[in-house]
Structure formats: structure tokens, C-alpha cells
Amino acid sequence: AQKITQTQPGMFVQEKEAVTLDCTYDTSDPSYGLFWYKQPSSGEMIFLIYQGSYDQQNATEGRYSLNFQKARKSANLVISASQLGDSAMYFCAMREGLANTGFQKLVFGTGTRLLVSP
Amino acid sequence: DAGITQSPRYKITETGRQVTLMCHQTWSHSYMFWYRQDLGHGLRLIYYSAAADITDKGEVPDGYVVSRSKTENFPLTLESATRSQTSVYFCASIGGDYGYTFGSGTRLTVV
């Protein structure tokens, strides 16, 4: 079963508008973490924002915010005031661990390609 | 510079050849990972390592071999490359504020 689901293969937004990228997840672990990464055309993976499962407030980092709805198991990324440089691939990922090992790996969604137009 | 260095950045190899992708970290992070990125699949875990001489399989390990004789190095070897292994490969380690730092990736083409 897919643990991280990103249902939007592509999204378009005009410059200066806000955009929401969807992410739903599936886990039975009470302790987990959710990440968003940006991958521009140059290929590197850039960390954007993190939300822990026990965090009471939604995470924010500058123009990025994470709309965390635990009961719905969703962790949508909101980008406010889009810029041309925001055009990239965006990946949602979940940190999950193996019991009693302390090991945690990242599981990724398939990504959403965002195109910001002037 | 501190960080994770992957080499080579680009590689073209022939079917059946052995090829090794290198990953080097300048910290002393215990956990290191190899992911492959393919269109429509996101990033999938190939192998991971919890420490020197401790490695284990991830989601898609077939056709790959890893070793970790030193904490800072985590090479990934394709023993007999196949076209299905054409991909972008990322090395990562756990460290930093929220854990995960990625290398710049290696784009491998098997012809």
C-alpha cells in the first residue's frame, strides 16, 4: 500500500498567488515526521519544511507552511506569494522507523511538478 | 566543504559492466542511505547502513551491492548493470536539524 500519496502530478499557478500541494500519508506508528523537499531542474533535493506528529502547531518556514490535519492524515504544503523560482518538483516524505532499532528511513511520494507562470 | 559528495555526477556504462557509485560524507553520521529516483516512483530506498560494517536492504535492492568499511564512505555497486538501472541515484545521511541531507545525485545511464 502506498504510504505517501501525492495525487497531483502537475500544478500551475500564477506568480504572486498561493498554491497548495496535496499529500496524504498512511502509518500506524504514533511517532512520525513529515517532510517536504523541493527538487529544481538542477536535481538537488532541498529541504523545505518539517512537521512532527506530536507538534501542536502547523510548521511554517518563510513562504512555506504545512497544513497538518492529523485525523485526515494529510500534510499539504502551502506556498504563499509564488515566485518564478518556485517552479520545481516537490516531494512529500514521511519518516518512519523500525521498532527498537532507532532506525528511521524516509518514504517518498511520487512528487508534484509545480509551474509558476508570470 | 562539509556535506555529502557523490561521484561521478554523470556516468554512462554498458549493459553487463560493473559500476560503482561513490558517496562520501564529511561528518560522522551513523546512518547513510542510497535512493534511486525514477519518473512516477519518487525516490525509493535501495540500501541503508546504520554504521560501519552494518548494512541492510531497502525497497529495491536487487542488482546492487553496498559496503561500508569506513563511516564516511558508502559506495553502491551495480554488479552487472542493466538498462532498468538507468536512474538518478541519491546518497543521504541522517544529520542536521531534521535529519536528512542529500548528495547532489549521480545520473547513471546504462546503454
Side-chain angles (χ1 to χ4, degrees):
Chain A
Q2 193 79 313
K3 294 209 172 186
I4 295 284
T5 302
Q6 294 181 254
T7 58
Q8 307 155 314
M11 288 286 285
F12 294 90
V13 66
Q14 278 201 315
E15 200 176 6
K16 300 180 184 177
E17 292 185 346
V19 62
T20 297
L21 306 184
D22 294 341
C23 173
T24 58
Y25 60 92
D26 182 26
T27 183
S28 56
D29 191 341
S31 177
Y32 54 90
L34 296 156
F35 298 74
W36 278 93
Y37 285 87
K38 172 184 178 181
Q39 187 179 44
S41 57
S42 54
E44 70 268 32
M45 296 292 286
I46 301 170
F47 166 76
L48 293 179
I49 197 166
Y50 169 80
Q51 179 85 42
S53 58
Y54 294 119
D55 293 343
Q56 294 297 311
Q57 294 189 335
N58 288 342
T60 59
E61 290 286 348
R63 295 186 298 110
Y64 304 107
S65 60
L66 199 151
N67 185 1
F68 182 45
Q69 297 188 41
K70 196 170 182 177
R72 294 186 178 184
K73 293 189 175 180
S74 74
N76 299 338
L77 177 70
V78 180
I79 304 175
S80 63
S82 297
Q83 301 172 357
L84 296 179
D86 294 334
S87 292
M89 195 76 168
Y90 289 81
F91 289 98
C92 180
M94 178 173 65
R95 180 197 70 209
E96 62 174 11
L98 298 178
N100 303 320
T101 65
F103 168 66
Q104 296 179 326
K105 63 179 181 181
L106 280 182
V107 178
F108 286 82
T110 53
T112 296
R113 185 167 297 282
L114 176 66
L115 182 61
V116 181
S117 59
Chain B
D1 290 339
I4 293 184
T5 304
Q6 290 186 236
S7 61
R9 192 82 167 88
Y10 302 92
K11 176 74 177 179
I12 300 175
T13 191
E14 293 179 341
T15 302
R17 289 194 179 268
Q18 183 181 80
V19 59
T20 296
L21 309 184
M22 303 302 294
C23 178
H24 173 79
Q25 58 151 324
T26 57
W27 308 288
S28 297
H29 294 164
S30 295
Y31 286 103
M32 295 187 74
F33 308 85
W34 274 106
Y35 286 88
R36 61 177 287 174
Q37 181 181 14
D38 305 290
L39 195 63
H41 290 280
L43 278 74
R44 292 180 292 174
L45 183 65
I46 305 170
Y47 268 95
Y48 63 91
S49 170
D53 297 322
I54 301 174
T55 62
D56 206 347
K57 296 177 181 179
E59 185 184 357
V60 287
D62 293 344
Y64 303 96
V65 174
V66 293
S67 62
R68 195 163 176 209
S69 57
K70 293 183 179 181
T71 300
E72 61 267 29
N73 295 323
F74 190 37
L76 176 74
T77 297
L78 288 67
E79 294 185 298
S80 178
T82 65
R83 289 183 180 173
S84 64
Q85 293 177 308
T86 292
S87 186
V88 180
Y89 291 85
F90 285 98
C91 179
S93 71
I94 292 185
D97 288 345
Y98 300 112
Y100 300 87
T101 303
F102 286 84
S104 299
T106 294
R107 185 175 294 275
L108 176 69
T109 302
V110 182
V111 298

